[in-house]
Amino acid sequence: ATAPALQRRHASKQRFVVDLSQCLFDFVIQLLPTVEEMAVKEDVRKLLERLIRTIEPESRLLSFGSTANGFSLRNSDMDLCCLIDSDERLAASDLVTMLGDLLERETKFHVKPLPHARIPIVKLSLDPSPGLPQGIACDIGFENRLALENTRLLMCYAMIDPTRVRTMVLFLKVWSKRRKINSPYKGTLSSYGYVLLVIYFLVHVKNPPVLPNLQQMPPLRPISKEDTHVAGFNTWFFDDIELLRQRWHSENNETVAELLIDFFRYYSRDFLYNTGVASIRAGLLKKDSKGWQNDLSGGRYNDARERNRLCIEDPFETDYNVSRCVTKDGLYTIRGEFMRASRILSTRPERAIIALAELCE
Ligand code: GTP
Ligand code: MG
């Protein structure tokens, strides 16, 4: 192509990414929870905490997941965790049963206690009402301190570069829900898994990186093992975000649209699904080195093989594959969706808003 033709193509690409970035901001902003919704949820948390304290006076009820990490969409469910600050506490399964009975008696929630689940929880829901058109869905778990810590880690990553990180994450959450690839129960990936894929991409794939690796930064002062371990896992990370904002600046100036286009390209083409493990703590790892290989033959290993199609290491619980629920078909569908998105964005239709609508169809 001639020089003017190349220039024209470059200018049209620049226009497209600027437009698309603006469309992405506008799109996610209208999906954020309203101030009223957040206030209602906080009221619900306080009410539930008061009730739980009638059974366990030393308990606290804390929010985790999207309501606490800055990646919440309108009407997302509430994840609550009950911590009990006393040595003599009831077993989680007994608490679930007792709390279930109490909430059934004292509130208007539909209550479903699951005392015998792998992680005992109480599931609650509230029917839609004029003030709460979508109702509320809420899970209460117990002593899940690792979930509180990983929520705080994600929140810190969001705070380092709120515009680019939150826009990308929120968009991918909506996109994966609309494209129906956000159900661990059906063999695809949880929201938590998608968030980890985004952070892995921004820390370890982009060069220069958009985010620093908070788990590998030198601590400001010496830290002891007691201060850093929760449930036997090292949960330390650099969490002084104010200081980080003064001292750390990304040299990556790409727009959110450029990052998103590259994200889809990377996960449709370049990520080593067969051998690689995405670890935000340590970068790209090998399935072999974690004992997460998926090429073992023989009936005995069928289960293991199905479990490790896609491997995403939990940031703290490092022996835990967050995407263990993703099946062969599920991964095929997810990769197909990454490819579809990549294709739509690379054709650069005349108006970015059209690309966005098609993407989330
Ligand atoms: P939406 O509910 O879709 O808005 O997303 P979310 O950000 O709340 O994510 P999700 O419901 O998938 O997970 C909520 C929280 O539960 C996460 O922030 C984690 O703290 C925790 N969590 C979810 N899945 C896992 C998992 O597989 N392993 C661990 N360790 N924690 C998890
Ligand atoms: Mg949630």
Side-chain angles (χ1 to χ4, degrees), residues 255-294:
T255 60
V256 81
E258 287 169 297
L259 293 172
L260 187 71
I261 292 170
D262 219 21
F263 173 93
F264 284 131
R265 189 170 38 216
Y266 176 75
Y267 285 108
S268 47
R269 231 184 36 188
D270 302 325
F271 181 71
L272 300 173
Y273 288 92
N274 285 330
T275 56
V277 177
S279 160
I280 66 171
R281 172 189 63 93
L284 182 68
L285 300 177
K286 288 233 181 301
K287 286 186 187 180
D288 277 345
S289 73
K290 306 214 46 121
W292 289 353
Q293 39 294 65
N294 62 351

Coordinates of all heavy atoms in Angstrom, one line a residue, residues 255-294:
T255 N -5.4 2.5 25.1 CA -6.8 2.8 25.5 C -7.5 1.5 25.9 O -7.0 0.4 25.6 CB -7.6 3.4 24.3 OG1 -7.6 2.4 23.3 CG2 -7.0 4.7 23.8
V256 N -8.6 1.7 26.6 CA -9.3 0.5 27.1 C -9.8 -0.4 25.9 O -9.8 -1.6 25.9 CB -10.5 0.9 28.0 CG1 -11.7 1.4 27.3 CG2 -10.8 -0.2 28.9
A257 N -10.1 0.3 24.7 CA -10.5 -0.5 23.6 C -9.3 -1.3 23.0 O -9.5 -2.5 22.7 CB -11.0 0.4 22.5
E258 N -8.2 -0.7 22.9 CA -7.0 -1.5 22.4 C -6.7 -2.7 23.3 O -6.4 -3.8 22.9 CB -5.8 -0.6 22.4 CG -5.8 0.4 21.2 CD -4.7 1.5 21.4 OE1 -4.7 2.3 22.3 OE2 -3.9 1.6 20.5
L259 N -6.8 -2.4 24.7 CA -6.6 -3.5 25.6 C -7.6 -4.7 25.4 O -7.3 -5.8 25.4 CB -6.6 -3.0 27.0 CG -5.4 -2.1 27.4 CD1 -5.7 -1.5 28.8 CD2 -4.1 -2.8 27.4
L260 N -8.8 -4.3 25.2 CA -9.9 -5.3 25.1 C -9.7 -6.1 23.8 O -9.8 -7.3 23.8 CB -11.3 -4.6 25.1 CG -12.5 -5.6 25.1 CD1 -12.6 -6.3 26.4 CD2 -13.8 -4.8 24.8
I261 N -9.4 -5.4 22.7 CA -9.1 -6.1 21.4 C -8.0 -7.1 21.6 O -8.1 -8.3 21.2 CB -8.8 -5.1 20.3 CG1 -10.1 -4.2 20.0 CG2 -8.3 -5.8 19.0 CD1 -9.8 -3.0 19.1
D262 N -7.0 -6.7 22.3 CA -5.8 -7.5 22.5 C -6.1 -8.7 23.4 O -5.6 -9.8 23.2 CB -4.7 -6.7 23.1 CG -3.4 -7.0 22.5 OD1 -3.3 -7.6 21.4 OD2 -2.3 -6.7 23.2
F263 N -7.0 -8.4 24.4 CA -7.4 -9.5 25.3 C -8.1 -10.6 24.6 O -7.8 -11.7 24.7 CB -8.4 -8.8 26.4 CG -9.0 -9.9 27.3 CD1 -8.4 -10.2 28.5 CD2 -10.2 -10.5 27.0 CE1 -9.0 -11.1 29.4 CE2 -10.8 -11.4 27.8 CZ -10.2 -11.7 29.0
F264 N -9.0 -10.2 23.7 CA -9.7 -11.3 23.0 C -8.8 -12.0 22.0 O -8.9 -13.2 21.9 CB -10.9 -10.6 22.2 CG -12.1 -10.3 23.0 CD1 -12.7 -9.0 22.9 CD2 -12.6 -11.2 23.9 CE1 -13.8 -8.7 23.7 CE2 -13.8 -10.9 24.7 CZ -14.3 -9.7 24.6
R265 N -7.9 -11.3 21.4 CA -6.9 -11.9 20.5 C -6.1 -12.9 21.3 O -5.9 -14.1 20.9 CB -6.0 -10.9 19.8 CG -5.2 -11.6 18.7 CD -4.5 -10.5 17.8 NE -4.1 -9.4 18.6 CZ -4.1 -8.1 18.2 NH1 -4.5 -7.8 17.0 NH2 -3.7 -7.2 19.0
Y266 N -5.6 -12.5 22.4 CA -4.7 -13.3 23.2 C -5.4 -14.6 23.6 O -4.8 -15.7 23.5 CB -4.2 -12.5 24.5 CG -3.3 -13.4 25.4 CD1 -2.0 -13.7 25.0 CD2 -3.8 -13.9 26.6 CE1 -1.2 -14.5 25.9 CE2 -3.1 -14.7 27.4 CZ -1.8 -15.0 27.1 OH -1.0 -15.8 27.9
Y267 N -6.6 -14.5 24.2 CA -7.3 -15.7 24.7 C -7.9 -16.5 23.6 O -8.4 -17.6 23.8 CB -8.3 -15.4 25.8 CG -7.5 -15.0 27.1 CD1 -7.5 -13.7 27.6 CD2 -6.9 -16.0 27.8 CE1 -6.8 -13.4 28.8 CE2 -6.2 -15.8 29.0 CZ -6.2 -14.4 29.5 OH -5.5 -14.2 30.6
S268 N -8.0 -16.0 22.3 CA -8.5 -16.9 21.3 C -7.3 -17.6 20.6 O -7.5 -18.6 20.1 CB -9.4 -16.1 20.3 OG -8.8 -14.9 19.9
R269 N -6.2 -17.0 20.6 CA -5.1 -17.5 19.8 C -3.8 -17.9 20.6 O -3.2 -18.9 20.3 CB -4.7 -16.4 18.8 CG -4.6 -16.7 17.4 CD -4.1 -15.6 16.6 NE -3.1 -14.7 17.2 CZ -2.6 -13.6 16.7 NH1 -3.1 -13.1 15.6 NH2 -1.7 -12.9 17.4
D270 N -3.4 -17.1 21.5 CA -2.1 -17.2 22.0 C -1.9 -18.0 23.4 O -0.9 -18.6 23.6 CB -1.4 -15.8 22.2 CG -1.4 -15.1 20.8 OD1 -1.3 -15.8 19.8 OD2 -1.6 -13.9 20.8
F271 N -2.9 -17.9 24.2 CA -2.8 -18.5 25.5 C -2.6 -20.1 25.3 O -3.3 -20.7 24.5 CB -4.0 -18.3 26.4 CG -3.8 -18.9 27.8 CD1 -2.9 -18.4 28.7 CD2 -4.6 -20.0 28.2 CE1 -2.8 -19.0 30.0 CE2 -4.5 -20.6 29.4 CZ -3.5 -20.1 30.3
L272 N -1.6 -20.7 26.1 CA -1.3 -22.1 25.9 C -2.3 -22.9 26.8 O -2.0 -23.4 27.9 CB 0.1 -22.4 26.4 CG 1.2 -21.6 25.6 CD1 2.6 -21.8 26.2 CD2 1.2 -22.0 24.1
Y273 N -3.5 -23.1 26.2 CA -4.5 -23.8 27.0 C -4.1 -25.3 27.3 O -4.5 -25.7 28.4 CB -5.8 -23.9 26.2 CG -6.5 -22.6 26.1 CD1 -6.3 -21.7 25.0 CD2 -7.4 -22.2 27.1 CE1 -6.9 -20.5 25.0 CE2 -8.0 -20.9 27.0 CZ -7.8 -20.1 26.0 OH -8.4 -18.9 25.9
N274 N -3.4 -25.9 26.5 CA -3.0 -27.3 26.7 C -2.0 -27.5 27.8 O -2.1 -28.5 28.5 CB -2.5 -28.0 25.4 CG -3.7 -28.3 24.5 OD1 -4.8 -28.5 24.9 ND2 -3.4 -28.2 23.2
T275 N -1.1 -26.6 27.9 CA 0.0 -26.8 28.9 C 0.1 -25.7 30.0 O 0.7 -25.9 31.0 CB 1.4 -26.9 28.2 OG1 1.5 -25.6 27.4 CG2 1.4 -28.1 27.2
G276 N -0.6 -24.6 29.8 CA -0.3 -23.4 30.6 C -1.3 -23.2 31.7 O -2.4 -23.7 31.7
V277 N -0.8 -22.6 32.8 CA -1.6 -22.2 33.9 C -1.5 -20.7 34.1 O -0.4 -20.2 34.2 CB -1.2 -22.9 35.3 CG1 -2.0 -22.4 36.4 CG2 -1.2 -24.4 35.1
A278 N -2.6 -20.0 34.1 CA -2.5 -18.5 34.3 C -2.5 -18.3 35.8 O -3.4 -18.6 36.5 CB -3.8 -17.8 33.7
S279 N -1.4 -17.7 36.2 CA -1.2 -17.4 37.7 C -0.9 -15.9 37.8 O 0.1 -15.4 37.3 CB -0.1 -18.2 38.2 OG 0.4 -17.6 39.5
I280 N -1.8 -15.1 38.5 CA -1.5 -13.7 38.7 C -0.3 -13.6 39.7 O 0.4 -12.6 39.6 CB -2.7 -12.9 39.0 CG1 -3.3 -13.2 40.4 CG2 -3.8 -13.0 38.0 CD1 -4.3 -12.2 40.8
R281 N -0.1 -14.6 40.5 CA 1.0 -14.5 41.5 C 2.3 -14.7 40.8 O 3.3 -14.0 41.1 CB 0.8 -15.6 42.5 CG 1.9 -15.9 43.5 CD 1.6 -17.1 44.3 NE 1.5 -18.3 43.5 CZ 2.6 -19.1 43.2 NH1 3.8 -18.8 43.8 NH2 2.5 -20.1 42.4
A282 N 2.4 -15.7 39.8 CA 3.7 -16.1 39.3 C 3.8 -16.1 37.8 O 4.8 -16.5 37.3 CB 4.0 -17.5 39.9
G283 N 2.9 -15.6 37.1 CA 3.0 -15.6 35.6 C 2.5 -16.9 35.0 O 1.8 -17.6 35.7
L284 N 3.0 -17.2 33.8 CA 2.6 -18.4 33.2 C 3.3 -19.6 33.8 O 4.5 -19.6 33.8 CB 2.9 -18.3 31.7 CG 2.4 -19.6 30.9 CD1 0.9 -19.6 30.8 CD2 3.0 -19.5 29.5
L285 N 2.5 -20.6 34.3 CA 3.1 -21.8 34.9 C 2.7 -22.9 34.0 O 1.9 -22.8 33.1 CB 2.6 -22.0 36.3 CG 2.8 -20.9 37.3 CD1 2.1 -21.2 38.6 CD2 4.3 -20.7 37.5
K286 N 3.4 -24.1 34.3 CA 3.1 -25.3 33.5 C 2.1 -26.2 34.3 O 2.3 -26.4 35.5 CB 4.4 -26.1 33.2 CG 5.3 -25.4 32.2 CD 5.7 -26.4 31.2 CE 6.6 -25.9 30.1 NZ 6.1 -24.7 29.4
K287 N 1.2 -26.8 33.6 CA 0.3 -27.7 34.2 C 1.1 -28.8 34.9 O 0.8 -29.2 36.0 CB -0.7 -28.4 33.2 CG -1.8 -27.4 32.7 CD -2.8 -28.2 31.9 CE -3.8 -27.2 31.3 NZ -4.7 -27.8 30.4
D288 N 2.1 -29.3 34.2 CA 3.0 -30.4 34.8 C 3.5 -30.0 36.2 O 3.4 -30.8 37.1 CB 4.2 -30.6 33.9 CG 3.9 -31.5 32.7 OD1 2.8 -32.1 32.8 OD2 4.7 -31.5 31.7
S289 N 4.0 -28.8 36.3 CA 4.6 -28.4 37.5 C 3.6 -28.3 38.7 O 4.0 -28.4 39.8 CB 5.4 -27.1 37.4 OG 4.5 -26.1 37.3
K290 N 2.4 -28.2 38.4 CA 1.3 -28.2 39.4 C 0.6 -29.5 39.6 O -0.3 -29.6 40.4 CB 0.3 -27.1 39.1 CG 0.9 -25.7 38.9 CD 0.1 -24.6 39.3 CE -0.4 -24.8 40.7 NZ -0.1 -23.8 41.7
G291 N 1.0 -30.5 38.8 CA 0.2 -31.7 38.8 C -1.2 -31.6 38.3 O -2.1 -32.3 38.6
W292 N -1.4 -30.6 37.3 CA -2.7 -30.4 36.8 C -2.8 -30.8 35.3 O -3.5 -30.2 34.5 CB -3.1 -28.9 36.9 CG -3.3 -28.4 38.3 CD1 -3.4 -29.1 39.4 CD2 -3.6 -27.0 38.7 NE1 -3.7 -28.3 40.5 CE2 -3.8 -27.0 40.0 CE3 -3.6 -25.8 38.0 CZ2 -4.1 -25.9 40.8 CZ3 -3.9 -24.7 38.7 CH2 -4.1 -24.7 40.1
Q293 N -2.0 -31.8 34.9 CA -2.0 -32.2 33.5 C -3.3 -32.8 33.1 O -4.0 -33.3 34.0 CB -0.8 -33.2 33.1 CG -0.4 -34.3 34.1 CD 0.2 -33.9 35.4 OE1 -0.4 -33.3 36.2 NE2 1.5 -34.3 35.6
N294 N -3.7 -32.6 31.9 CA -5.0 -33.1 31.4 C -4.8 -34.1 30.4 O -5.8 -34.5 29.7 CB -5.9 -31.9 30.9 CG -5.3 -31.3 29.7 OD1 -4.1 -31.5 29.3 ND2 -6.0 -30.4 29.1

